[in-house]
Amino acid sequence: VVYLVGDAAGVRAFSATCTHLGCRVAWHAAEREFRCPCHGGRFDVQGAVIGGPPPRGLTELQTRVEGARVLVELV
């Protein structure tokens, strides 16, 4: 699972895997943040850690836009 985030620079993709222990994060629109349900990790819309135990931000994946499609390189 990946999350696509659009901004002025284009489209970015982030892995939905928490960098703490590998749980799947979920987007919380009201707070505009990703949250890990396992140990309370929190990430901003750019994938940076804003709370909890994760040692680093969400992994950003390479993207390429072709027409109306966004291609994401999965590692």
Side-chain angles (χ1 to χ4, degrees):
V1 174
V2 301
Y3 286 101
L4 298 178
V5 176
D7 60 21
V11 178
R12 299 170 70 189
F14 296 99
S15 170
T17 302
C18 182
T19 56
H20 178 232
L21 292 177
C23 297
R24 185 174 293 171
V25 300
W27 174 248
H28 288 254
E31 295 82 8
R32 296 196 43 80
E33 66 185 25
F34 298 100
R35 288 188 189 166
C36 180
C38 297
H39 301 102
R42 296 172 42 234
F43 305 86
D44 68 14
V45 71
Q46 300 301 313
V49 176
I50 56 174
R56 64 186 182 288
L58 295 173
T59 301
E60 185 169 357
L61 304 168
Q62 292 288 94
T63 61
R64 183 172 78 240
V65 177
E66 289 185 359
R69 296 177 8 176
V70 177
L71 305 174
V72 179
E73 183 177 331
L74 301 175
V75 291

